[in-house]
Amino acid sequence: MARILCAWSPNWAIANWRRRNPSDSPPEPFGLIETVNGARRLAAVDKAARAAGLRAGQKATDAMALVPGLVTAEAEPEADAAALTALVDWAVRYSPAVAPDAPDGLFLDIAGVSHLWGGEAQLVADFRARLAANGLHFRCAVADTPGAAWALAHHGKGAEIIAPPNGQADLLAYLPPAALRLEPQATAQMERLGLRLLFQIIGLPRAPLARRFGKQTLIRLDQAMGRADEALTFRRPPHPWFARLAFFEPISALEDLQRVSFDVAAKLCARLEREGHGAKRFVIAFHRVDGKAFPLTIGLSLAGRDPVRIAKLLAPKLETIDPGFGIDVVTLEAEAVEPVSGRQVRLDTSTEAAVEDGLAPLVDRLTNRLGEGRVWKAVPVASHVPEQSSRHAAPLKPATSGGWNPEAPRPLRLFRQPEPLENVMALTPDDPPRQFQWRKRVHRVLQAEGPERIGAEWWRADIDTISVSHVRDYYRVEDQEGARFWVFREGLYSAGAEARWWLHGVFG
């Protein structure tokens, strides 16, 4: 049976504003103002302002008239949304499935995890105590459905409400219609008709109820009662490859971070090995006692599950972690998971590793230190244009094509941009150069092969852009010192026009 914890902060925007401006916190009553359709309205008010008769959505001028001593500040909805996202990430210490309930609440699926805290009551108490220590006061409710938990958290009596399994109906009966998360118009119409409690609505025939107040009323009622499912959009969807370690006392020493990195990796890798899987990416997160999380990501060139190797790749990055007053939870997720089985490299009993397995640790160290885009290999691409005949690929990714044409070899080093040649001596129209100057040095050609004519791929561009100037005649030449170059003449030969020569690459 699902058990959902709904947490709601009626003063979320106010509390976050005070946390962002600790030195400017004004005395009560206090409110935040925003501009809505050209009018200045209250976005949020504190407890003292509500006691004075103010409410969110009220015009600022009317509020000032009712409470002359009201202190106001500009609302910051983007900052409040960012704070809610951070809170959702922090709440992973209680459940791996946490969903935001914008703008001021969140849902936690605590089915199967409450026993880790001694029960649902102890989990809720610890949850609220940690938030209260940071100036955030929440109302919490636990029920079988998100709708029931939301209703009890927002409209129930008490700051902590735990509905017994299959027992939320009795607690919902005496809540107002607004507890069903209906449109304001439908709620106002129900109250005008004298339907002020949910037990009055539950007993009505369904067909007239839908005609009068809309089908959404039936949907919300069924969701709250558990007769219809409600899907939550989790910030981090429940991950099948997830491991978590919590500590009795916070840790902060670098040696401790290295040790727990191995411990949580060993826990997750043991499960990967049991089920015959490996992963190419691991995301570890260190959760501080003040709620901030520090994620680190490492990647593997080949799917693996060796905790020692994972811990070694994480070790250089642990120095970037600021433990603050301590780390009390560490989590590890495996991504890009795929089946991995043992491979026999040779027919004899040799334990020699495959070539790619021997290179993988080196590639992984370079990739994680330099960045994913810094370590790559060139693979052939089906294009006769030199600049488009290769692309970057993962270092150990197997080739998917047969490579380049052996009858038209390409240089090992191809310049990013062809470099111009000067003082070229060549017979026209098709002979290779006999001498050229490159980077202020003269090269005398002893042997040459060509030409190889390469034109633009006209089918990839507008036909109007195609020109004979895009045609190139390539030659493989060798100078007096044995150096080999790949040079080309740009455009077709025409009498009276000076030929332009370029150097595109050098052979090994």
Side-chain angles (χ1 to χ4, degrees):
M1 177 184 295
R3 295 291 281 174
I4 304 297
L5 165 63
C6 178
W8 170 59
S9 173
N11 288 325
W12 176 251
I14 299 291
N16 277 293
W17 190 94
R18 294 185 186 277
R19 285 166 55 86
R20 292 192 296 269
N21 304 273
S23 60
D24 299 331
S25 296
E28 298 178 343
F30 175 67
L32 297 176
I33 299 180
E34 62 180 349
T35 302
V36 180
N37 296 328
R40 301 284 286 170
R41 297 181 179 274
L42 292 178
V45 293
D46 63 1
K47 185 176 180 181
R50 285 198 302 272
L54 303 183
R55 55 179 174 79
Q58 194 172 18
K59 286 187 177 181
T61 53
D62 296 342
M64 295 293 186
L66 290 174
V67 183
L70 178 66
V71 180
T72 62
E74 192 69 23
E76 299 176 345
E78 294 83 3
D80 295 336
L84 182 61
T85 300
L87 179 63
V88 170
D89 291 337
W90 170 83
V92 74
R93 69 180 59 235
Y94 295 97
S95 169
V98 186
D101 181 34
D104 50 12
L106 66 158
F107 290 103
L108 289 82
D109 186 349
I110 61 173
V113 300
S114 59
H115 69 280
L116 301 174
W117 306 88
E120 294 177 346
Q122 290 81 355
L123 187 151
V124 173
D126 186 86
F127 180 83
R128 295 187 67 247
R130 288 178 180 268
L131 293 177
N134 288 275
L136 300 175
H137 299 279
F138 275 74
R139 293 169 53 91
C140 298
V142 179
D144 296 340
T145 65
W150 190 96
L152 294 173
H154 287 71
H155 299 276
K157 295 182 179 179
E160 297 181 13
I161 303 176
I162 300 178
N166 299 318
Q168 63 261 15
D170 294 337
L171 297 176
L172 295 177
Y174 292 93
L175 299 183
L180 293 180
R181 296 174 291 172
L182 302 176
E183 294 294 332
Q185 297 83 351
T187 301
Q189 187 178 9
M190 289 180 181
E191 293 181 352
R192 285 196 300 269
L193 296 176
L195 303 176
R196 294 183 171 83
L197 299 175
L198 288 184
F199 79 86
Q200 298 173 298
I201 300 173
I202 296 174
L204 295 177
R206 294 176 63 86
L209 184 64
R211 287 196 299 268
R212 190 66 180 265
F213 304 110
K215 292 183 179 181
Q216 186 67 14
T217 300
L218 293 182
I219 294 175
R220 288 300 194 187
L221 185 60
D222 290 342
Q223 288 176 343
M225 295 299 176
R227 296 190 291 261
D229 294 332
E230 179 180 357
L232 296 176
T233 303
F234 296 110
R235 160 78 171 168
R236 295 179 179 176
H239 203 285
W241 306 103
F242 177 87
R244 173 182 180 274
L245 292 179
F247 315 122
F248 183 75
E249 292 289 343
I251 62 175
S252 58
L254 180 60
E255 295 78 8
D256 293 335
L257 298 182
Q258 294 173 345
R259 186 181 68 256
V260 300
S261 298
F262 172 80
D263 292 341
V264 72
K267 182 178 180 181
L268 181 57
C269 290
R271 183 184 164 205
L272 288 169
E273 186 171 2
R274 285 196 304 269
E275 303 191 21
H277 286 74
K280 289 186 176 181
R281 189 179 303 106
F282 292 88
V283 181
I284 191 170
F286 296 90
H287 302 266
R288 289 195 330 197
V289 294
D290 61 356
K292 293 185 179 180
F294 294 86
L296 297 175
T297 302
I298 62 167
L300 304 180
S301 53
L302 297 175
R305 56 192 181 210
D306 182 4
V308 175
R309 183 172 163 194
I310 294 171
K312 285 184 178 179
L313 294 175
L314 285 170
K317 299 186 176 185
L318 296 180
E319 298 177 356
T320 64
I321 299 297
D322 178 14
F325 291 104
I327 304 290
D328 61 352
V329 174
V330 59
T331 60
L332 180 66
E333 293 183 7
E335 300 179 352
V337 177
E338 59 187 51
V340 173
S341 58
R343 292 188 298 163
Q344 184 173 1
V345 180
R346 299 175 57 172
L347 293 177
D348 57 19
T349 58
S350 172
T351 58
E352 179 183 354
V355 175
E356 58 270 24
D357 292 337
L359 288 177
L362 172 62
V363 171
D364 293 340
R365 288 197 300 270
L366 294 175
T367 301
N368 287 280
R369 292 195 180 205
L370 304 178
E372 293 185 4
R374 302 293 184 100
V375 182
W376 50 269
K377 73 174 181 179
V379 296
V381 175
S383 175
H384 62 272
V385 177
E387 295 88 340
Q388 301 174 6
S389 60
S390 67
R391 62 177 175 84
H392 294 181
L396 300 182
K397 183 178 181 180
T400 57
S401 64
W404 292 293
N405 182 5
E407 297 182 358
R410 297 290 186 261
L412 295 179
R413 180 187 176 191
L414 193 68
F415 297 156
R416 186 180 298 273
Q417 293 291 339
E419 299 188 8
L421 299 179
E422 299 175 347
N423 302 323
V424 180
M425 297 176 58
L427 296 178
T428 56
D430 296 327
D431 279 12
R434 296 186 177 182
Q435 180 177 297
F436 61 88
Q437 181 179 345
W438 174 54
R439 295 183 179 177
K440 299 182 180 181
R441 183 177 179 182
V442 176
H443 298 265
R444 185 165 54 88
V445 177
L446 298 184
Q447 300 185 60
E449 184 180 8
E452 176 189 353
R453 179 159 291 179
I454 297 178
E457 295 181 339
W458 52 267
W459 58 91
R460 299 181 184 272
D462 191 345
I463 191 64
D464 296 334
T465 64
I466 303 301
S467 171
V468 294
S469 62
H470 298 163
V471 176
R472 302 174 181 176
D473 285 340
Y474 278 86
Y475 299 87
R476 292 180 292 276
V477 301
E478 181 178 328
D479 69 2
Q480 71 276 12
E481 296 179 355
R484 302 178 66 220
F485 306 92
W486 204 38
V487 301
F488 70 87
R489 184 182 62 242
E490 184 179 28
L492 297 177
Y493 170 76
S494 58
E498 181 181 0
R500 300 185 61 189
W501 288 86
W502 305 82
L503 178 62
H504 204 162
V506 294
F507 291 90

